[in-house]
Tab-separated table of all heavy atoms in Angstrom:
chain	number	residue	atom	x	y	z
A	1	LYS	N	85.626	114.706	106.843
A	1	LYS	CA	87.008	114.591	106.438
A	1	LYS	C	87.085	113.917	105.086
A	1	LYS	O	86.345	112.995	104.811
A	1	LYS	CB	87.797	113.743	107.428
A	1	LYS	CG	87.808	114.287	108.814
A	1	LYS	CD	88.485	113.288	109.725
A	1	LYS	CE	88.142	113.634	111.150
A	1	LYS	NZ	88.573	112.621	112.070
A	2	ALA	N	88.005	114.368	104.290
A	2	ALA	CA	88.238	113.750	102.990
A	2	ALA	C	89.708	113.904	102.643
A	2	ALA	O	90.379	114.826	103.117
A	2	ALA	CB	87.379	114.404	101.922
A	3	ARG	N	90.173	113.003	101.817
A	3	ARG	CA	91.532	113.087	101.301
A	3	ARG	C	91.442	112.942	99.792
A	3	ARG	O	90.608	112.196	99.273
A	3	ARG	CB	92.425	111.988	101.885
A	3	ARG	CG	92.605	112.063	103.407
A	3	ARG	CD	93.312	113.350	103.795
A	3	ARG	NE	93.553	113.455	105.216
A	3	ARG	CZ	92.756	114.038	106.087
A	3	ARG	NH1	91.614	114.556	105.686
A	3	ARG	NH2	93.082	114.122	107.359
A	4	CYS	N	92.337	113.658	99.104
A	4	CYS	CA	92.272	113.706	97.650
A	4	CYS	C	93.671	113.587	97.067
A	4	CYS	O	94.639	114.100	97.629
A	4	CYS	CB	91.633	115.026	97.239
A	4	CYS	SG	91.666	115.365	95.484
A	5	LEU	N	93.761	112.934	95.915
A	5	LEU	CA	95.008	112.849	95.173
A	5	LEU	C	94.692	113.071	93.705
A	5	LEU	O	93.758	112.463	93.173
A	5	LEU	CB	95.661	111.471	95.360
A	5	LEU	CG	96.933	111.230	94.559
A	5	LEU	CD1	98.084	112.050	95.137
A	5	LEU	CD2	97.291	109.760	94.543
A	6	ILE	N	95.460	113.940	93.062
A	6	ILE	CA	95.348	114.148	91.621
A	6	ILE	C	96.658	113.709	91.000
A	6	ILE	O	97.734	114.144	91.425
A	6	ILE	CB	95.046	115.618	91.285
A	6	ILE	CG1	93.702	116.027	91.892
A	6	ILE	CG2	95.055	115.837	89.768
A	6	ILE	CD1	93.380	117.502	91.762
A	7	ASP	N	96.574	112.822	90.006
A	7	ASP	CA	97.769	112.286	89.366
A	7	ASP	C	97.463	111.957	87.913
A	7	ASP	O	96.542	111.188	87.627
A	7	ASP	CB	98.236	111.025	90.104
A	7	ASP	CG	99.536	110.478	89.560
A	7	ASP	OD1	100.492	111.262	89.412
A	7	ASP	OD2	99.593	109.269	89.274
A	8	GLU	N	98.226	112.545	87.025
A	8	GLU	CA	98.125	112.274	85.586
A	8	GLU	C	96.684	112.367	85.078
A	8	GLU	O	96.211	111.513	84.333
A	8	GLU	CB	98.719	110.907	85.263
A	8	GLU	CG	100.207	110.831	85.555
A	8	GLU	CD	100.817	109.491	85.201
A	8	GLU	OE1	100.103	108.600	84.689
A	8	GLU	OE2	102.027	109.340	85.437
A	9	GLY	N	95.979	113.400	85.514
A	9	GLY	CA	94.631	113.640	85.020
A	9	GLY	C	93.533	112.883	85.746
A	9	GLY	O	92.363	113.036	85.426
A	10	TRP	N	93.894	112.072	86.716
A	10	TRP	CA	92.919	111.336	87.515
A	10	TRP	C	92.794	111.984	88.883
A	10	TRP	O	93.776	112.465	89.427
A	10	TRP	CB	93.352	109.885	87.695
A	10	TRP	CG	93.290	109.082	86.440
A	10	TRP	CD1	94.302	108.912	85.538
A	10	TRP	CD2	92.176	108.366	85.940
A	10	TRP	NE1	93.865	108.120	84.510
A	10	TRP	CE2	92.559	107.766	84.734
A	10	TRP	CE3	90.877	108.167	86.399
A	10	TRP	CZ2	91.698	106.984	83.975
A	10	TRP	CZ3	90.018	107.382	85.648
A	10	TRP	CH2	90.430	106.806	84.455
A	11	LYS	N	91.611	111.948	89.452
A	11	LYS	CA	91.391	112.485	90.798
A	11	LYS	C	90.699	111.416	91.637
A	11	LYS	O	89.623	110.927	91.284
A	11	LYS	CB	90.516	113.739	90.746
A	11	LYS	CG	90.272	114.360	92.106
A	11	LYS	CD	89.493	115.659	91.958
A	11	LYS	CE	89.250	116.330	93.298
A	11	LYS	NZ	88.488	117.583	93.107
A	12	LEU	N	91.344	111.069	92.739
A	12	LEU	CA	90.794	110.120	93.697
A	12	LEU	C	90.402	110.890	94.945
A	12	LEU	O	91.195	111.679	95.464
A	12	LEU	CB	91.843	109.063	94.063
A	12	LEU	CG	91.403	108.033	95.095
A	12	LEU	CD1	90.455	107.025	94.463
A	12	LEU	CD2	92.606	107.334	95.700
A	13	ILE	N	89.194	110.663	95.422
A	13	ILE	CA	88.726	111.283	96.663
A	13	ILE	C	88.283	110.159	97.582
A	13	ILE	O	87.498	109.293	97.186
A	13	ILE	CB	87.541	112.239	96.434
A	13	ILE	CG1	87.854	113.252	95.349
A	13	ILE	CG2	87.170	112.939	97.740
A	13	ILE	CD1	86.650	114.051	94.895
A	14	ILE	N	88.801	110.179	98.808
A	14	ILE	CA	88.424	109.182	99.806
A	14	ILE	C	87.756	109.907	100.968
A	14	ILE	O	88.290	110.879	101.491
A	14	ILE	CB	89.666	108.405	100.287
A	14	ILE	CG1	90.256	107.629	99.119
A	14	ILE	CG2	89.318	107.490	101.448
A	14	ILE	CD1	91.549	106.919	99.436
A	15	TYR	N	86.589	109.406	101.342
A	15	TYR	CA	85.852	109.912	102.503
A	15	TYR	C	85.893	108.815	103.566
A	15	TYR	O	85.032	107.927	103.576
A	15	TYR	CB	84.399	110.225	102.123
A	15	TYR	CG	84.259	111.232	101.017
A	15	TYR	CD1	84.151	110.825	99.682
A	15	TYR	CD2	84.223	112.589	101.291
A	15	TYR	CE1	84.018	111.754	98.660
A	15	TYR	CE2	84.079	113.525	100.279
A	15	TYR	CZ	83.983	113.090	98.965
A	15	TYR	OH	83.852	114.014	97.951
A	16	PRO	N	86.893	108.827	104.452
A	16	PRO	CA	87.052	107.719	105.396
A	16	PRO	C	85.901	107.565	106.391
A	16	PRO	O	85.577	106.444	106.777
A	16	PRO	CB	88.358	108.038	106.125
A	16	PRO	CG	88.746	109.405	105.734
A	16	PRO	CD	87.936	109.819	104.572
A	17	ASP	N	85.269	108.643	106.794
A	17	ASP	CA	84.191	108.557	107.783
A	17	ASP	C	82.975	107.796	107.272
A	17	ASP	O	82.259	107.164	108.040
A	17	ASP	CB	83.771	109.951	108.248
A	17	ASP	CG	84.824	110.627	109.104
A	17	ASP	OD1	85.730	109.918	109.599
A	17	ASP	OD2	84.750	111.856	109.289
A	18	ILE	N	82.743	107.862	105.960
A	18	ILE	CA	81.575	107.173	105.392
A	18	ILE	C	81.993	106.032	104.457
A	18	ILE	O	81.151	105.463	103.765
A	18	ILE	CB	80.636	108.162	104.670
A	18	ILE	CG1	81.345	108.873	103.523
A	18	ILE	CG2	80.041	109.155	105.648
A	18	ILE	CD1	80.430	109.700	102.631
A	19	GLU	N	83.289	105.733	104.442
A	19	GLU	CA	83.831	104.646	103.621
A	19	GLU	C	83.386	104.767	102.160
A	19	GLU	O	82.916	103.806	101.551
A	19	GLU	CB	83.455	103.297	104.209
A	19	GLU	CG	84.025	103.082	105.592
A	19	GLU	CD	83.692	101.731	106.184
A	19	GLU	OE1	83.201	100.853	105.446
A	19	GLU	OE2	83.937	101.555	107.374
A	20	LYS	N	83.572	105.938	101.598
A	20	LYS	CA	83.199	106.204	100.200
A	20	LYS	C	84.439	106.628	99.434
A	20	LYS	O	85.278	107.385	99.934
A	20	LYS	CB	82.145	107.320	100.142
A	20	LYS	CG	81.664	107.670	98.772
A	20	LYS	CD	80.828	106.560	98.193
A	20	LYS	CE	80.299	106.945	96.822
A	20	LYS	NZ	79.755	105.825	96.095
A	21	THR	N	84.572	106.128	98.220
A	21	THR	CA	85.683	106.479	97.343
A	21	THR	C	85.118	106.896	95.992
A	21	THR	O	84.203	106.256	95.467
A	21	THR	CB	86.633	105.275	97.153
A	21	THR	OG1	87.132	104.879	98.427
A	21	THR	CG2	87.791	105.623	96.242
A	22	ARG	N	85.669	107.960	95.448
A	22	ARG	CA	85.250	108.434	94.129
A	22	ARG	C	86.485	108.600	93.251
A	22	ARG	O	87.549	108.963	93.736
A	22	ARG	CB	84.505	109.758	94.232
A	22	ARG	CG	83.221	109.649	95.020
A	22	ARG	CD	82.476	110.966	95.029
A	22	ARG	NE	81.306	110.891	95.871
A	22	ARG	CZ	80.097	110.535	95.448
A	22	ARG	NH1	79.901	110.223	94.196
A	22	ARG	NH2	79.080	110.502	96.280
A	23	LEU	N	86.316	108.355	91.958
A	23	LEU	CA	87.404	108.481	90.991
A	23	LEU	C	86.877	109.201	89.753
A	23	LEU	O	85.831	108.840	89.210
A	23	LEU	CB	87.926	107.089	90.595
A	23	LEU	CG	89.037	107.061	89.551
A	23	LEU	CD1	90.342	107.610	90.139
A	23	LEU	CD2	89.241	105.652	89.032
A	24	TYR	N	87.628	110.204	89.339
A	24	TYR	CA	87.237	110.976	88.150
A	24	TYR	C	88.413	111.107	87.202
A	24	TYR	O	89.563	111.195	87.635
A	24	TYR	CB	86.765	112.386	88.555
A	24	TYR	CG	85.605	112.375	89.489
A	24	TYR	CD1	85.781	112.570	90.854
A	24	TYR	CD2	84.317	112.162	89.026
A	24	TYR	CE1	84.713	112.547	91.730
A	24	TYR	CE2	83.232	112.145	89.894
A	24	TYR	CZ	83.440	112.338	91.241
A	24	TYR	OH	82.378	112.308	92.096
A	25	HIS	N	88.119	111.142	85.910
A	25	HIS	CA	89.123	111.445	84.900
A	25	HIS	C	88.884	112.898	84.493
A	25	HIS	O	87.935	113.214	83.769
A	25	HIS	CB	88.982	110.516	83.692
A	25	HIS	CG	90.133	110.616	82.759
A	25	HIS	ND1	90.232	111.594	81.810
A	25	HIS	CD2	91.255	109.874	82.665
A	25	HIS	CE1	91.365	111.439	81.141
A	25	HIS	NE2	91.998	110.406	81.642
A	26	LEU	N	89.727	113.782	84.999
A	26	LEU	CA	89.464	115.215	84.886
A	26	LEU	C	89.474	115.747	83.457
A	26	LEU	O	88.735	116.670	83.138
A	26	LEU	CB	90.454	115.991	85.753
A	26	LEU	CG	90.348	115.698	87.249
A	26	LEU	CD1	91.442	116.439	88.008
A	26	LEU	CD2	88.973	116.062	87.780
A	27	ALA	N	90.280	115.179	82.582
A	27	ALA	CA	90.316	115.658	81.192
A	27	ALA	C	88.995	115.369	80.477
A	27	ALA	O	88.514	116.179	79.695
A	27	ALA	CB	91.477	115.021	80.436
A	28	GLN	N	88.412	114.222	80.777
A	28	GLN	CA	87.156	113.834	80.135
A	28	GLN	C	85.928	114.301	80.903
A	28	GLN	O	84.836	114.385	80.346
A	28	GLN	CB	87.104	112.310	79.974
A	28	GLN	CG	88.179	111.772	79.063
A	28	GLN	CD	88.214	110.253	79.029
A	28	GLN	OE1	87.456	109.581	79.719
A	28	GLN	NE2	89.105	109.715	78.225
A	29	ASP	N	86.113	114.579	82.194
A	29	ASP	CA	84.988	114.918	83.065
A	29	ASP	C	85.409	116.026	84.043
A	29	ASP	O	85.515	115.804	85.241
A	29	ASP	CB	84.554	113.651	83.825
A	29	ASP	CG	83.359	113.862	84.726
A	29	ASP	OD1	82.635	114.862	84.552
A	29	ASP	OD2	83.156	113.020	85.618
A	30	PRO	N	85.653	117.241	83.535
A	30	PRO	CA	86.176	118.309	84.390
A	30	PRO	C	85.214	118.748	85.501
A	30	PRO	O	85.640	119.331	86.493
A	30	PRO	CB	86.448	119.455	83.422
A	30	PRO	CG	85.580	119.177	82.248
A	30	PRO	CD	85.474	117.675	82.158
A	31	PHE	N	83.939	118.460	85.360
A	31	PHE	CA	82.966	118.845	86.382
A	31	PHE	C	82.696	117.717	87.383
A	31	PHE	O	81.830	117.835	88.244
A	31	PHE	CB	81.667	119.321	85.735
A	31	PHE	CG	81.858	120.540	84.893
A	31	PHE	CD1	81.791	120.468	83.511
A	31	PHE	CD2	82.141	121.773	85.471
A	31	PHE	CE1	81.987	121.587	82.728
A	31	PHE	CE2	82.334	122.902	84.692
A	31	PHE	CZ	82.267	122.810	83.310
A	32	GLU	N	83.433	116.613	87.250
A	32	GLU	CA	83.355	115.477	88.172
A	32	GLU	C	81.917	114.964	88.322
A	32	GLU	O	81.393	114.815	89.419
A	32	GLU	CB	83.959	115.847	89.527
A	32	GLU	CG	85.407	116.247	89.410
A	32	GLU	CD	86.012	116.749	90.708
A	32	GLU	OE1	85.446	116.514	91.788
A	32	GLU	OE2	87.083	117.382	90.634
A	33	LEU	N	81.311	114.651	87.196
A	33	LEU	CA	79.937	114.163	87.193
A	33	LEU	C	79.842	112.647	87.090
A	33	LEU	O	78.814	112.066	87.424
A	33	LEU	CB	79.162	114.795	86.022
A	33	LEU	CG	79.091	116.323	86.033
A	33	LEU	CD1	78.431	116.834	84.757
A	33	LEU	CD2	78.360	116.822	87.262
A	34	ASN	N	80.915	111.993	86.593
A	34	ASN	CA	80.877	110.560	86.336
A	34	ASN	C	81.905	109.849	87.215
A	34	ASN	O	83.084	109.779	86.890
A	34	ASN	CB	81.151	110.296	84.849
A	34	ASN	CG	80.959	108.848	84.475
A	34	ASN	OD1	80.257	108.117	85.138
A	34	ASN	ND2	81.600	108.452	83.393
A	35	ASP	N	81.458	109.295	88.328
A	35	ASP	CA	82.324	108.572	89.256
A	35	ASP	C	82.705	107.227	88.637
A	35	ASP	O	81.848	106.390	88.363
A	35	ASP	CB	81.593	108.374	90.583
A	35	ASP	CG	82.396	107.613	91.606
A	35	ASP	OD1	83.580	107.315	91.365
A	35	ASP	OD2	81.834	107.315	92.673
A	36	LEU	N	83.998	107.018	88.424
A	36	LEU	CA	84.491	105.808	87.770
A	36	LEU	C	85.054	104.769	88.746
A	36	LEU	O	85.634	103.773	88.318
A	36	LEU	CB	85.581	106.186	86.754
A	36	LEU	CG	85.145	107.134	85.638
A	36	LEU	CD1	86.344	107.578	84.822
A	36	LEU	CD2	84.105	106.471	84.755
A	37	ALA	N	84.890	104.975	90.035
A	37	ALA	CA	85.500	104.077	91.024
A	37	ALA	C	85.078	102.622	90.832
A	37	ALA	O	85.918	101.720	90.914
A	37	ALA	CB	85.176	104.554	92.435
A	38	ALA	N	83.828	102.377	90.583
A	38	ALA	CA	83.348	101.000	90.421
A	38	ALA	C	83.857	100.365	89.125
A	38	ALA	O	84.067	99.157	89.060
A	38	ALA	CB	81.822	100.966	90.461
A	39	GLU	N	84.078	101.185	88.111
A	39	GLU	CA	84.520	100.680	86.810
A	39	GLU	C	86.034	100.482	86.720
A	39	GLU	O	86.509	99.759	85.854
A	39	GLU	CB	84.102	101.663	85.707
A	39	GLU	CG	82.615	101.815	85.556
A	39	GLU	CD	82.270	102.916	84.550
A	39	GLU	OE1	83.055	103.157	83.621
A	39	GLU	OE2	81.205	103.533	84.721
A	40	LYS	N	86.786	101.145	87.582
A	40	LYS	CA	88.254	101.132	87.508
A	40	LYS	C	88.871	100.780	88.869
A	40	LYS	O	89.645	101.549	89.428
A	40	LYS	CB	88.765	102.504	87.067
A	40	LYS	CG	88.214	102.992	85.750
A	40	LYS	CD	89.195	102.719	84.679
A	40	LYS	CE	88.720	103.325	83.365
A	40	LYS	NZ	89.178	102.569	82.260
A	41	PRO	N	88.560	99.593	89.406
A	41	PRO	CA	89.083	99.258	90.742
A	41	PRO	C	90.611	99.201	90.794
A	41	PRO	O	91.207	99.528	91.827
A	41	PRO	CB	88.455	97.894	91.045
A	41	PRO	CG	88.072	97.346	89.721
A	41	PRO	CD	87.745	98.538	88.852
A	42	GLU	N	91.254	98.825	89.687
A	42	GLU	CA	92.720	98.769	89.677
A	42	GLU	C	93.324	100.166	89.776
A	42	GLU	O	94.340	100.376	90.446
A	42	GLU	CB	93.239	98.032	88.432
A	42	GLU	CG	93.027	98.747	87.111
A	42	GLU	CD	91.582	98.853	86.593
A	42	GLU	OE1	90.717	98.072	86.996
A	42	GLU	OE2	91.342	99.741	85.746
A	43	LYS	N	92.702	101.138	89.156
A	43	LYS	CA	93.168	102.528	89.236
A	43	LYS	C	92.932	103.072	90.646
A	43	LYS	O	93.790	103.757	91.197
A	43	LYS	CB	92.444	103.386	88.189
A	43	LYS	CG	92.969	104.786	88.084
A	43	LYS	CD	94.382	104.796	87.559
A	43	LYS	CE	94.890	106.190	87.326
A	43	LYS	NZ	96.300	106.204	86.959
A	44	VAL	N	91.781	102.754	91.216
A	44	VAL	CA	91.482	103.182	92.587
A	44	VAL	C	92.537	102.626	93.537
A	44	VAL	O	93.083	103.362	94.365
A	44	VAL	CB	90.068	102.731	93.023
A	44	VAL	CG1	89.873	102.918	94.521
A	44	VAL	CG2	89.004	103.490	92.249
A	45	GLU	N	92.846	101.342	93.425
A	45	GLU	CA	93.805	100.726	94.343
A	45	GLU	C	95.201	101.319	94.178
A	45	GLU	O	95.879	101.598	95.166
A	45	GLU	CB	93.849	99.206	94.142
A	45	GLU	CG	94.743	98.499	95.118
A	45	GLU	CD	94.419	98.760	96.582
A	45	GLU	OE1	93.250	98.972	96.926
A	45	GLU	OE2	95.366	98.759	97.399
A	46	ALA	N	95.625	101.533	92.951
A	46	ALA	CA	96.949	102.114	92.708
A	46	ALA	C	97.036	103.525	93.302
A	46	ALA	O	98.026	103.874	93.956
A	46	ALA	CB	97.250	102.144	91.213
A	47	MET	N	96.008	104.314	93.081
A	47	MET	CA	96.018	105.678	93.605
A	47	MET	C	95.843	105.694	95.122
A	47	MET	O	96.420	106.529	95.807
A	47	MET	CB	94.954	106.534	92.918
A	47	MET	CG	95.297	106.836	91.467
A	47	MET	SD	94.148	107.982	90.690
A	47	MET	CE	94.641	109.536	91.450
A	48	ARG	N	95.085	104.746	95.664
A	48	ARG	CA	94.914	104.656	97.107
A	48	ARG	C	96.265	104.352	97.776
A	48	ARG	O	96.606	104.937	98.802
A	48	ARG	CB	93.898	103.581	97.472
A	48	ARG	CG	93.647	103.475	98.970
A	48	ARG	CD	92.749	102.303	99.316
A	48	ARG	NE	91.439	102.414	98.712
A	48	ARG	CZ	90.398	103.026	99.285
A	48	ARG	NH1	90.532	103.581	100.458
A	48	ARG	NH2	89.246	103.058	98.676
A	49	GLN	N	97.039	103.456	97.186
A	49	GLN	CA	98.363	103.143	97.722
A	49	GLN	C	99.277	104.367	97.673
A	49	GLN	O	100.014	104.644	98.623
A	49	GLN	CB	98.986	101.982	96.957
A	49	GLN	CG	98.324	100.657	97.239
A	49	GLN	CD	98.902	99.520	96.424
A	49	GLN	OE1	99.927	99.659	95.771
A	49	GLN	NE2	98.241	98.380	96.468
A	50	GLN	N	99.212	105.095	96.574
A	50	GLN	CA	100.012	106.310	96.424
A	50	GLN	C	99.594	107.355	97.467
A	50	GLN	O	100.439	107.986	98.104
A	50	GLN	CB	99.824	106.851	95.009
A	50	GLN	CG	100.726	107.978	94.627
A	50	GLN	CD	100.487	108.419	93.179
A	50	GLN	OE1	99.679	107.858	92.448
A	50	GLN	NE2	101.186	109.438	92.770
A	51	LEU	N	98.297	107.525	97.665
A	51	LEU	CA	97.785	108.479	98.640
A	51	LEU	C	98.165	108.066	100.064
A	51	LEU	O	98.587	108.895	100.867
A	51	LEU	CB	96.266	108.620	98.508
A	51	LEU	CG	95.575	109.566	99.486
A	51	LEU	CD1	96.144	110.979	99.400
A	51	LEU	CD2	94.070	109.567	99.240
A	52	THR	N	98.044	106.793	100.371
A	52	THR	CA	98.401	106.306	101.703
A	52	THR	C	99.876	106.559	101.994
A	52	THR	O	100.236	107.007	103.087
A	52	THR	CB	98.067	104.814	101.842
A	52	THR	OG1	96.658	104.644	101.671
A	52	THR	CG2	98.475	104.280	103.206
A	53	ALA	N	100.729	106.295	101.017
A	53	ALA	CA	102.164	106.538	101.193
A	53	ALA	C	102.430	108.019	101.453
A	53	ALA	O	103.227	108.379	102.328
A	53	ALA	CB	102.938	106.057	99.971
A	54	LEU	N	101.764	108.883	100.716
A	54	LEU	CA	101.926	110.322	100.914
A	54	LEU	C	101.433	110.744	102.292
A	54	LEU	O	102.085	111.527	102.985
A	54	LEU	CB	101.183	111.091	99.818
A	54	LEU	CG	101.201	112.605	99.931
A	54	LEU	CD1	102.628	113.147	99.851
A	54	LEU	CD2	100.342	113.226	98.833
A	55	MET	N	100.299	110.219	102.704
A	55	MET	CA	99.747	110.551	104.006
A	55	MET	C	100.698	110.113	105.124
A	55	MET	O	100.896	110.839	106.097
A	55	MET	CB	98.368	109.902	104.179
A	55	MET	CG	97.305	110.529	103.293
A	55	MET	SD	95.779	109.559	103.200
A	55	MET	CE	95.234	109.561	104.887
A	56	GLN	N	101.300	108.939	104.996
A	56	GLN	CA	102.255	108.456	105.990
A	56	GLN	C	103.496	109.350	106.003
A	56	GLN	O	104.024	109.665	107.065
A	56	GLN	CB	102.644	107.006	105.709
A	56	GLN	CG	101.527	106.050	106.009
A	56	GLN	CD	101.808	104.635	105.562
A	56	GLN	OE1	102.667	104.376	104.731
A	56	GLN	NE2	101.059	103.681	106.112
A	57	GLU	N	103.938	109.767	104.830
A	57	GLU	CA	105.117	110.615	104.714
A	57	GLU	C	104.929	111.945	105.429
A	57	GLU	O	105.843	112.461	106.054
A	57	GLU	CB	105.436	110.839	103.234
A	57	GLU	CG	106.663	111.662	102.967
A	57	GLU	CD	106.916	111.868	101.484
A	57	GLU	OE1	106.723	110.913	100.702
A	57	GLU	OE2	107.288	112.984	101.100
A	58	ILE	N	103.728	112.500	105.349
A	58	ILE	CA	103.494	113.811	105.963
A	58	ILE	C	102.930	113.712	107.380
A	58	ILE	O	102.651	114.714	108.013
A	58	ILE	CB	102.592	114.707	105.081
A	58	ILE	CG1	101.194	114.119	104.946
A	58	ILE	CG2	103.240	114.956	103.729
A	58	ILE	CD1	100.198	115.039	104.260
A	59	GLY	N	102.725	112.482	107.857
A	59	GLY	CA	102.250	112.299	109.223
A	59	GLY	C	100.762	112.474	109.404
A	59	GLY	O	100.304	112.825	110.493
A	60	ASP	N	99.985	112.233	108.375
A	60	ASP	CA	98.525	112.323	108.462
A	60	ASP	C	98.011	111.115	109.257
A	60	ASP	O	98.219	109.977	108.866
A	60	ASP	CB	97.925	112.333	107.058
A	60	ASP	CG	96.431	112.561	107.046
A	60	ASP	OD1	95.738	112.114	107.969
A	60	ASP	OD2	95.958	113.184	106.078
A	61	GLY	N	97.354	111.372	110.365
A	61	GLY	CA	96.870	110.308	111.235
A	61	GLY	C	95.859	109.384	110.605
A	61	GLY	O	95.664	108.267	111.059
A	62	LEU	N	95.183	109.796	109.549
A	62	LEU	CA	94.207	108.943	108.897
A	62	LEU	C	94.859	107.818	108.098
A	62	LEU	O	94.180	106.876	107.698
A	62	LEU	CB	93.314	109.761	107.954
A	62	LEU	CG	92.258	110.634	108.633
A	62	LEU	CD1	91.486	111.428	107.582
A	62	LEU	CD2	91.293	109.800	109.453
A	63	ALA	N	96.152	107.894	107.861
A	63	ALA	CA	96.840	106.879	107.067
A	63	ALA	C	96.998	105.583	107.841
A	63	ALA	O	97.305	104.555	107.270
A	63	ALA	CB	98.210	107.393	106.615
A	64	GLU	N	96.793	105.620	109.127
A	64	GLU	CA	97.031	104.426	109.945
A	64	GLU	C	95.811	103.590	110.135
A	64	GLU	O	94.762	103.845	109.804
A	64	GLU	CB	97.608	104.865	111.285
A	64	GLU	CG	98.903	105.612	111.068
A	64	GLU	CD	99.423	106.308	112.312
A	64	GLU	OE1	98.944	106.013	113.418
A	64	GLU	OE2	100.310	107.137	112.159
């Protein structure tokens, strides 16, 4: 299972089963080769909150 959010050129991917998070800047890295999650924790957290809110809105059970 994975959840993904794309916002303003950024892509956040969360793999809840393995507790892994990846972050890419699609304009600079369209092939998603450079995971920026460790370098941009504030961006990860902001996008994670946005994704969680969306998941709750649509009733995705993983949001809980």
Side-chain angles (χ1 to χ4, degrees):
K1 300 174 197 171
R3 297 297 182 267
C4 172
L5 176 72
I6 298 173
D7 185 50
E8 296 182 2
W10 291 91
K11 181 175 181 180
L12 178 75
I13 308 169
I14 296 175
Y15 302 93
D17 290 343
I18 60 171
E19 298 181 12
K20 181 70 178 167
T21 301
R22 297 183 185 269
L23 178 70
Y24 301 100
H25 191 277
L26 297 176
Q28 297 174 358
D29 182 18
F31 297 108
E32 300 175 17
L33 301 174
N34 187 23
D35 179 6
L36 300 172
E39 296 174 29
K40 303 261 186 210
E42 69 290 339
K43 187 66 175 174
V44 168
E45 184 56 32
M47 290 186 74
R48 182 186 299 271
Q49 289 177 10
Q50 189 178 358
L51 179 57
T52 299
L54 177 62
M55 290 167 62
Q56 289 172 341
E57 182 181 320
I58 65 172
D60 186 326
L62 285 178
E64 300 169 14

